[in-house]
Amino acid sequence: MLITQLRNATIVLEFEAQGRAIGLLVDPMLAPRGSLPGLRYLGRGRQRNPIVELPANSEAVLERVTHALITHCQRGHFDHLDRIGKRFLRERRIPVFCMPRDAEYLCQRGLNAESLSAQERQFWSLGGHITPILCVHGKGWVGRLMEHGHGYLLELPGEPSVYLAGDTLLTPAVRDCLHRLRPDIAILPAGGARFDMGGEILMDAKDVMEAASCWPGELVVNHLEALDHCPVKREEVRDLAQDGGVADRVWVPEDGQCRRYKVSLAAID
């Protein structure tokens, strides 16, 4: 499986399924730098989003996309599906896998949405199985304002299993997925996102290092350095991984970087 980090939570997984090449685009935010609203309103250093451009190789990577997977996209979550992302999926008639609530929303906007069953392991039309894992995108009053969504565990024949966490705090559901289901690879967010008031709505660097202690698999860390309300830096995550003795199984990609993973967990840059 080839994993390419594009920007923020937007990644592409490329693998073979049922005798064909699949390019699975996750949570496409494809807008140019500064074309979307800021998410922090107080203090200095306010910025419009995204705060960086897509990487130079993004067009070539997107040309290989055949399907898409959405973790959540409503209630203002343009960082997981923006207007340009919707247009990309709609114009190319790309099948979009998502949860039932999002399927209705996306079909109304002309997308080719295919609903998954909530909260259960199920056969997937791409082959193998897919299991939704509930996200908790903030607690308390701020959590009541958020769209929580789902992550997914992907189990495909001949490929490493992958847990795409989505936007979530480090919850019992996340720990259970890692400890009990033991994915070969987990893709976790570490941006430490928060608004001007209220607590964090996303794991931070310390949380993902704690998650790494739950199981022995490979960890890919994203949702970094692309949005104005995500303060965690890549170097902070890398330093903590080095200090914690897990740097050999933690990858913190720059935008545009890719890595190939095999079932044996051997990774090749």
Side-chain angles (χ1 to χ4, degrees):
M1 178 177 290
L2 183 68
I3 298 179
T4 302
Q5 168 67 26
L6 287 183
R7 182 179 59 187
N8 195 51
T10 305
I11 61 173
V12 176
L13 311 182
E14 296 180 66
F15 51 88
E16 295 287 330
Q18 300 176 335
R20 57 177 174 159
I22 301 295
L24 183 67
L25 174 64
V26 181
D27 289 352
M29 177 179 67
L30 305 180
R33 177 182 179 181
S35 61
L36 299 171
L39 295 168
R40 299 293 297 268
Y41 301 98
L42 303 177
R44 299 178 179 177
R46 290 173 292 174
Q47 301 181 72
R48 289 180 60 82
N49 287 303
I51 62 175
V52 294
E53 294 285 7
L54 283 167
N57 63 338
S58 60
E59 185 174 346
V61 175
L62 291 170
E63 283 296 321
R64 302 195 295 271
V65 167
T66 61
H67 297 76
L69 182 64
I70 303 297
T71 62
H72 63 302
C73 61
Q74 298 187 59
R75 301 178 79 175
H77 282 91
F78 59 74
D79 59 319
H80 290 261
L81 181 63
D82 61 10
R83 184 176 299 177
I84 295 179
K86 291 175 189 173
R87 187 172 67 201
F88 174 86
L89 298 173
R90 181 171 53 246
E91 291 180 350
R92 301 186 182 216
R93 299 300 300 162
I94 291 173
V96 181
F97 299 103
C98 59
M99 300 306 292
R101 169 172 156 77
D102 288 332
E104 181 179 358
Y105 168 85
L106 295 176
C107 285
Q108 289 173 354
R109 285 152 181 80
L111 274 71
N112 182 18
E114 299 187 20
S115 178
L116 300 166
S117 298
Q119 305 292 333
E120 61 183 36
R121 186 173 185 259
Q122 57 208 272
F123 288 107
W124 195 16
S125 59
L126 293 185
H129 293 83
I130 184 169
T131 305
I133 307 292
L134 186 66
C135 294
V136 177
H137 197 9
K139 295 182 178 180
W141 69 265
V142 71
R144 291 193 290 272
L145 301 175
M146 303 303 291
E147 185 78 7
H148 294 276
H150 289 76
Y152 303 97
L153 176 66
L154 313 180
E155 300 170 277
L156 297 157
E159 299 286 350
S161 57
V162 181
Y163 169 43
L164 293 154
D167 274 6
T168 187
L169 299 170
L170 181 56
T171 65
V174 173
R175 295 176 188 273
D176 177 70
C177 179
L178 296 173
H179 179 72
R180 181 174 59 86
L181 302 179
R182 299 176 76 83
D184 295 324
I185 305 163
I187 302 174
L188 305 183
R194 64 189 308 157
F195 300 114
D196 296 304
M197 296 182 290
E200 288 184 352
I201 58 174
L202 199 65
M203 283 187 271
D204 61 14
K206 291 182 180 179
D207 292 328
V208 295
M209 290 304 104
E210 187 175 343
S213 69
C214 294
W215 102 120
E218 302 279 344
L219 176 58
V220 180
V221 183
N222 70 354
H223 217 305
L224 296 165
E225 299 183 36
L227 299 173
D228 66 332
H229 71 323
C230 292
V232 177
K233 303 297 183 185
R234 289 180 170 93
E235 281 308 307
E236 180 181 349
V237 182
R238 292 172 181 141
D239 289 345
L240 284 179
Q242 189 67 45
D243 293 344
V246 293
D248 61 330
R249 59 187 183 93
V250 175
W251 181 41
V252 188
E254 299 291 331
D255 292 346
Q257 283 190 322
C258 62
R259 178 170 285 195
R260 189 173 300 278
Y261 289 89
K262 300 179 181 179
V263 177
S264 65
L265 301 183
I268 304 173
D269 284 323

